[in-house]
Amino acid sequence: MSAVDLLAKRIPPKSANHSAESASRCAGNPFQESMLRLLQTPAPPLEDPDDIAIDPPPAIDPQKLADIPKIGSLGEGVELFQALNRNIELLEGLDELRYRAQKLDYLKKANEAKRCDHLKANGVRCGSPALAGKEHCFFHAQFHNAEYTLPLIEDKRTLQLAYMDLAKGVSMKTISIDHGRLLLQILQSAGKNLPDIDWQDGYQE
Ligand SMILES: [Zn+2]
């Protein structure tokens, strides 16, 4: 069990009953009363930098940690309790600082990265981060760098497959509309010149 756990056991959760009980027990002892009030004050939120204690936290004496089970009254533990809290706050604060510094670094790098050059239909540039060494983002690179090779058209079946590939390419935007139009004309011409055979069924005399 850690020192903090031990102390937490010794200082039960604050409740209305407990406060009243403690107050009556400590009645007439101004020192203990003020310590109790201090303990019952909620800790300031870490998010507000103005509320964070900026002095270095007090060092924790290992002997005092070892002596926690011997603490006989609430008042005796208050100083150690505050010192532990301040040290925990410092560690948590440093973690948060490291996280924010890293985030700032990532944001800076993202802002420096080259942006996609693709112009959308409304004339606005895409602006997503471009692929390393490329002009476009992953999505638009497929559109701009698409390499469509015409399949061998030997019968109606392969012509149909070529039509389907073309339609898929245009709908997935891996083939531009203009390029698609040209390919469609080529396929239509190829279709007109097809011999009336189906290689899959074999040559029919
Ligand atoms: Zn893009």
Side-chain angles (χ1 to χ4, degrees), residues 116-118 126-128 136-140:
C116 176
D117 271 349
H118 176 82
C126 163
S128 297
H136 301 103
C137 67
F138 175 75
F139 179 74
H140 289 122

PDB file of all heavy atoms in Angstrom, residues 116-118 126-128 136-140, ligand 1:
ATOM      1  N   CYS A 116      -2.447  19.454 -51.307  1.00  0.00           N
ATOM      2  CA  CYS A 116      -2.937  18.904 -52.576  1.00  0.00           C
ATOM      3  C   CYS A 116      -3.331  20.037 -53.529  1.00  0.00           C
ATOM      4  O   CYS A 116      -4.011  20.979 -53.132  1.00  0.00           O
ATOM      5  CB  CYS A 116      -4.141  18.012 -52.276  1.00  0.00           C
ATOM      6  SG  CYS A 116      -4.935  17.346 -53.743  1.00  0.00           S
ATOM      7  N   ASP A 117      -2.888  19.931 -54.784  1.00  0.00           N
ATOM      8  CA  ASP A 117      -3.119  20.967 -55.798  1.00  0.00           C
ATOM      9  C   ASP A 117      -4.453  20.825 -56.514  1.00  0.00           C
ATOM     10  O   ASP A 117      -4.808  21.665 -57.332  1.00  0.00           O
ATOM     11  CB  ASP A 117      -2.001  20.900 -56.857  1.00  0.00           C
ATOM     12  CG  ASP A 117      -0.832  21.778 -56.457  1.00  0.00           C
ATOM     13  OD1 ASP A 117      -1.008  22.561 -55.499  1.00  0.00           O
ATOM     14  OD2 ASP A 117       0.235  21.672 -57.086  1.00  0.00           O
ATOM     15  N   HIS A 118      -5.170  19.761 -56.244  1.00  0.00           N
ATOM     16  CA  HIS A 118      -6.399  19.492 -57.000  1.00  0.00           C
ATOM     17  C   HIS A 118      -7.425  20.613 -56.806  1.00  0.00           C
ATOM     18  O   HIS A 118      -7.684  21.045 -55.688  1.00  0.00           O
ATOM     19  CB  HIS A 118      -7.013  18.166 -56.545  1.00  0.00           C
ATOM     20  CG  HIS A 118      -8.327  17.874 -57.202  1.00  0.00           C
ATOM     21  ND1 HIS A 118      -8.413  17.326 -58.462  1.00  0.00           N
ATOM     22  CD2 HIS A 118      -9.606  18.088 -56.779  1.00  0.00           C
ATOM     23  CE1 HIS A 118      -9.701  17.201 -58.783  1.00  0.00           C
ATOM     24  NE2 HIS A 118     -10.436  17.660 -57.778  1.00  0.00           N
ATOM     25  N   CYS A 126      -8.137  21.632 -53.007  1.00  0.00           N
ATOM     26  CA  CYS A 126      -8.423  20.558 -52.039  1.00  0.00           C
ATOM     27  C   CYS A 126      -7.808  20.863 -50.671  1.00  0.00           C
ATOM     28  O   CYS A 126      -8.497  20.902 -49.672  1.00  0.00           O
ATOM     29  CB  CYS A 126      -7.911  19.220 -52.575  1.00  0.00           C
ATOM     30  SG  CYS A 126      -7.750  17.941 -51.322  1.00  0.00           S
ATOM     31  N   GLY A 127      -6.479  21.108 -50.640  1.00  0.00           N
ATOM     32  CA  GLY A 127      -5.847  21.527 -49.386  1.00  0.00           C
ATOM     33  C   GLY A 127      -5.488  20.429 -48.412  1.00  0.00           C
ATOM     34  O   GLY A 127      -4.879  20.699 -47.385  1.00  0.00           O
ATOM     35  N   SER A 128      -5.838  19.178 -48.698  1.00  0.00           N
ATOM     36  CA  SER A 128      -5.408  18.082 -47.805  1.00  0.00           C
ATOM     37  C   SER A 128      -3.891  17.901 -47.957  1.00  0.00           C
ATOM     38  O   SER A 128      -3.342  18.277 -48.986  1.00  0.00           O
ATOM     39  CB  SER A 128      -6.093  16.776 -48.191  1.00  0.00           C
ATOM     40  OG  SER A 128      -7.478  16.888 -48.023  1.00  0.00           O
ATOM     41  N   HIS A 136      -0.446  15.711 -55.191  1.00  0.00           N
ATOM     42  CA  HIS A 136      -1.829  15.513 -54.726  1.00  0.00           C
ATOM     43  C   HIS A 136      -1.924  14.645 -53.486  1.00  0.00           C
ATOM     44  O   HIS A 136      -0.990  13.907 -53.179  1.00  0.00           O
ATOM     45  CB  HIS A 136      -2.670  14.898 -55.858  1.00  0.00           C
ATOM     46  CG  HIS A 136      -2.701  15.749 -57.085  1.00  0.00           C
ATOM     47  ND1 HIS A 136      -1.958  15.467 -58.204  1.00  0.00           N
ATOM     48  CD2 HIS A 136      -3.346  16.918 -57.340  1.00  0.00           C
ATOM     49  CE1 HIS A 136      -2.155  16.412 -59.114  1.00  0.00           C
ATOM     50  NE2 HIS A 136      -2.988  17.302 -58.606  1.00  0.00           N
ATOM     51  N   CYS A 137      -3.088  14.747 -52.819  1.00  0.00           N
ATOM     52  CA  CYS A 137      -3.352  13.901 -51.661  1.00  0.00           C
ATOM     53  C   CYS A 137      -3.623  12.471 -52.145  1.00  0.00           C
ATOM     54  O   CYS A 137      -3.742  12.235 -53.350  1.00  0.00           O
ATOM     55  CB  CYS A 137      -4.560  14.441 -50.873  1.00  0.00           C
ATOM     56  SG  CYS A 137      -6.127  14.306 -51.758  1.00  0.00           S
ATOM     57  N   PHE A 138      -3.753  11.550 -51.211  1.00  0.00           N
ATOM     58  CA  PHE A 138      -3.949  10.138 -51.575  1.00  0.00           C
ATOM     59  C   PHE A 138      -5.159   9.969 -52.492  1.00  0.00           C
ATOM     60  O   PHE A 138      -5.106   9.295 -53.510  1.00  0.00           O
ATOM     61  CB  PHE A 138      -4.133   9.315 -50.292  1.00  0.00           C
ATOM     62  CG  PHE A 138      -4.466   7.876 -50.562  1.00  0.00           C
ATOM     63  CD1 PHE A 138      -3.488   6.995 -51.002  1.00  0.00           C
ATOM     64  CD2 PHE A 138      -5.766   7.409 -50.409  1.00  0.00           C
ATOM     65  CE1 PHE A 138      -3.793   5.674 -51.258  1.00  0.00           C
ATOM     66  CE2 PHE A 138      -6.075   6.085 -50.673  1.00  0.00           C
ATOM     67  CZ  PHE A 138      -5.078   5.214 -51.097  1.00  0.00           C
ATOM     68  N   PHE A 139      -6.267  10.608 -52.123  1.00  0.00           N
ATOM     69  CA  PHE A 139      -7.508  10.448 -52.887  1.00  0.00           C
ATOM     70  C   PHE A 139      -7.362  10.997 -54.298  1.00  0.00           C
ATOM     71  O   PHE A 139      -7.669  10.305 -55.277  1.00  0.00           O
ATOM     72  CB  PHE A 139      -8.644  11.168 -52.151  1.00  0.00           C
ATOM     73  CG  PHE A 139      -9.964  11.083 -52.854  1.00  0.00           C
ATOM     74  CD1 PHE A 139     -10.690   9.906 -52.845  1.00  0.00           C
ATOM     75  CD2 PHE A 139     -10.473  12.173 -53.549  1.00  0.00           C
ATOM     76  CE1 PHE A 139     -11.903   9.814 -53.506  1.00  0.00           C
ATOM     77  CE2 PHE A 139     -11.682  12.100 -54.209  1.00  0.00           C
ATOM     78  CZ  PHE A 139     -12.405  10.914 -54.186  1.00  0.00           C
ATOM     79  N   HIS A 140      -6.864  12.238 -54.446  1.00  0.00           N
ATOM     80  CA  HIS A 140      -6.792  12.853 -55.765  1.00  0.00           C
ATOM     81  C   HIS A 140      -5.640  12.318 -56.611  1.00  0.00           C
ATOM     82  O   HIS A 140      -5.659  12.471 -57.840  1.00  0.00           O
ATOM     83  CB  HIS A 140      -6.732  14.377 -55.622  1.00  0.00           C
ATOM     84  CG  HIS A 140      -8.050  14.957 -55.168  1.00  0.00           C
ATOM     85  ND1 HIS A 140      -8.194  15.714 -54.036  1.00  0.00           N
ATOM     86  CD2 HIS A 140      -9.285  14.818 -55.701  1.00  0.00           C
ATOM     87  CE1 HIS A 140      -9.479  16.029 -53.887  1.00  0.00           C
ATOM     88  NE2 HIS A 140     -10.154  15.499 -54.880  1.00  0.00           N
TER      89      HIS A 140
HETATM   90 ZN    ZN B   1      -6.736  16.309 -52.650  1.00  0.00          ZN
END
